Amino acid sequence: MNVDIPKQYLEIRGKPLMVHTLERLLDFPLLETIVVVLDQDDEHYPEIELLRHPRIRLANGGSQRSHSVLNGLRVLLDMADANDWVLVHDVARPCVRRADLEWLVDQLRDHSVGGLLATPVTDTIKRAGVDGKVVKTVTRQGLWHALTPQMFRLGLLHDAMATAIASELPVTDEASAIEYSGRHPVLVEGHADNIKVTRGTDLALASLYIEQQSKLIEVS
């Protein structure tokens, strides 16, 4: 991002990115508790008033995303049943729609494993070699972009994450840990505007999407 502060504190339309994300999650009544995992050296979070909301708990982050998620799950294990559903969401995805949250829960509430929001790959995919030259064109049939939230039973996800980390497996998202356990998460199609802010240009795009979505809410 080429900035001096963590990206979750960068402003979009007058509010920190994190606040946009948390407001959307707090607006979803099925989420009884939200655990926000923060870097132990984070000096900016006290400035976010919303983090003192009664439905929000804080947890210490780890060296990698997977360790941070596991720390958050451990906080929930102290207050929830192992069979309760948990949704894991990137705070850097401030454009997640409530309709997608509702659709995800509706599709998975009776499923034995769980799943994740995703979008089908529509672009042509190239595999490159170490020199940057194209090795082959990969068929996009059956390929999906993994999004968040990802929704699984609390106990199942905790055990899968802990086992994958202990085995030093590459856990790039929660679904991959579930896959390592031999189970098959369900792909639930969501909206493509649920972007993850990763580069500087993504801030402007997220701002545009948030503005467009607010107009849709006003019209409806």
Side-chain angles (χ1 to χ4, degrees):
M1 297 292 293
N2 295 316
V3 291
D4 296 328
I5 62 174
K7 62 184 176 183
Q8 60 265 31
Y9 299 109
L10 296 175
E11 285 202 355
I12 299 178
R13 303 185 67 78
K15 292 188 289 190
L17 186 158
M18 174 188 286
V19 171
H20 284 282
T21 305
L22 290 177
E23 285 179 344
R24 295 191 175 214
L25 297 179
L26 287 167
D27 188 51
F28 190 48
L30 291 182
L31 295 178
E32 296 182 19
T33 300
I34 298 171
V35 178
V36 180
V37 187
L38 300 167
D39 190 295
Q40 296 185 49
D41 298 323
D42 190 327
E43 300 176 349
H44 302 277
Y45 80 88
E47 303 171 12
I48 306 298
E49 178 67 28
L50 194 58
L51 289 176
R52 291 184 273 279
H53 192 282
R55 284 168 60 199
I56 291 179
R57 302 287 185 272
L58 304 182
N60 288 327
S63 59
Q64 300 178 31
R65 173 203 165 93
S66 56
H67 297 87
S68 296
V69 171
L70 186 59
N71 288 350
L73 295 175
R74 285 170 175 160
V75 170
L76 288 175
L77 280 175
D78 290 335
M79 64 180 70
D81 187 84
N83 203 44
D84 287 341
W85 287 108
V86 61
L87 279 69
V88 182
H89 185 61
D90 295 321
V91 75
R93 293 184 185 272
C95 304
V96 61
R97 301 184 184 209
R98 176 165 174 170
D100 279 357
L101 296 174
E102 293 172 344
W103 180 238
L104 180 70
V105 171
D106 182 65
Q107 293 299 299
L108 299 177
R109 65 171 69 248
D110 297 321
H111 196 266
S112 60
V113 176
L116 63 152
L117 286 177
T119 55
V121 171
T122 57
D123 299 312
T124 298
I125 303 298
K126 303 289 186 181
R127 186 181 302 281
V130 292
D131 57 358
K133 294 180 180 178
V134 173
V135 174
K136 66 179 296 187
T137 298
V138 181
T139 177
R140 63 183 176 228
Q141 184 177 1
L143 293 182
W144 291 65
H145 295 285
L147 310 176
T148 68
Q150 303 194 359
M151 174 176 162
F152 301 101
R153 302 286 182 181
L154 174 58
L156 171 64
L157 181 57
H158 172 274
D159 293 348
M161 293 288 293
T163 299
I165 291 171
S167 302
E168 298 184 349
L169 297 171
V171 184
T172 55
D173 67 352
E174 294 66 55
S176 61
I178 296 294
E179 292 162 35
Y180 289 135
S181 73
R183 297 173 175 86
H184 301 283
V186 175
L187 295 166
V188 178
E189 186 168 357
H191 286 82
D193 57 6
N194 182 12
I195 63 168
K196 184 176 181 180
V197 174
T198 305
R199 299 176 176 86
T201 53
D202 295 333
L203 282 173
L205 188 57
S207 177
L208 175 62
Y209 285 151
I210 289 171
E211 180 183 14
Q212 291 176 335
Q213 291 170 358
S214 68
K215 291 178 180 179
L216 289 174
I217 294 172
E218 291 172 3
V219 171
S220 61

